[in-house]
Amino acid sequence: MAKEFTRVDRLSQQMQQEIAVILQREIKDPRLHNMITVSDVDVSRDLSHAKIFVTFLGLEADKVKANLDILNDACGYVRSLIAKRIQARIVPTIRFYFDQSLDQGIHMANLVEQVRREDEKRRIDAGQEPERKPKVDQDEDE
């Protein structure tokens, strides 16, 4: 039997959607990076606190802290906008955190690609045939 969503899960999903819209449309700070993604919202069991995990697409690592400080300075304003948009008796206090999982995933993919290229080069230097990429069969759809 599938596990049902708890109230905390429903609130975190709704907050994630609303905060994404708020950051895209409502926050007009020119210092803030414009490509912000809300990757996760972690709401405490008592619904009093929420951790908002964000990523900044295409932003250098040295500017991430400055953007997080801007978001955390505006957290009271963001919380008031959330309170107007969701039907909840208690709106959690929010705090923004940087989600490094996207950057780590890109870094891991680059490492795998680098190792694959080095392996292919060693294979060619040893006189072996290069590894063939599997062909996608286009007749399967027909």
Side-chain angles (χ1 to χ4, degrees):
M1 188 169 144
K3 181 182 174 189
E4 294 182 27
F5 285 106
T6 63
R7 182 176 181 195
V8 173
D9 294 334
R10 289 191 309 269
L11 181 63
S12 66
Q13 283 182 340
Q14 188 175 11
M15 284 185 65
Q16 182 176 358
Q17 292 171 353
E18 294 298 333
I19 291 173
V21 171
I22 289 170
L23 292 179
Q24 183 179 27
R25 297 183 185 158
E26 304 290 331
I27 303 294
K28 302 292 183 194
D29 193 330
R31 301 171 296 162
L32 193 61
H33 187 66
N34 59 354
M35 295 293 291
I36 303 172
T37 304
V38 179
S39 57
D40 193 22
V41 175
D42 184 21
V43 178
S44 64
R45 293 188 74 205
D46 64 353
L47 307 177
S48 63
H49 301 286
K51 293 179 182 179
I52 315 299
F53 294 95
V54 294
T55 58
F56 303 99
L57 300 177
L59 187 65
E60 296 84 30
D62 57 338
K63 295 183 181 177
V64 168
K65 181 167 178 7
N67 277 269
L68 277 177
D69 290 342
I70 294 168
L71 286 175
N72 283 316
D73 287 343
C75 67
Y77 176 66
V78 173
R79 183 176 181 224
S80 69
L81 292 175
I82 292 170
K84 293 176 186 173
R85 294 176 183 212
I86 64 173
Q87 298 297 319
R89 188 169 58 91
I90 299 172
V91 177
T93 57
I94 61 174
R95 182 93 177 137
F96 289 93
Y97 296 91
F98 180 61
D99 184 10
Q100 296 180 344
S101 63
L102 181 65
D103 290 340
Q104 290 172 347
I106 291 171
H107 180 68
M108 292 298 290
N110 289 339
L111 288 175
V112 168
E113 182 62 26
Q114 179 183 357
V115 168
R116 193 194 62 74
R117 276 189 256 122
E118 289 173 2
D119 188 42
E120 189 70 26
K121 185 178 181 285
R122 284 193 198 117
R123 195 182 274 248
I124 292 170
D125 290 346
Q128 297 178 355
E129 286 187 28
E131 189 175 285
R132 295 182 183 168
K133 294 182 181 177
K135 292 183 179 180
V136 177
D137 211 9
Q138 299 199 6
D139 294 336
E140 290 178 0
D141 294 335
E142 295 174 5

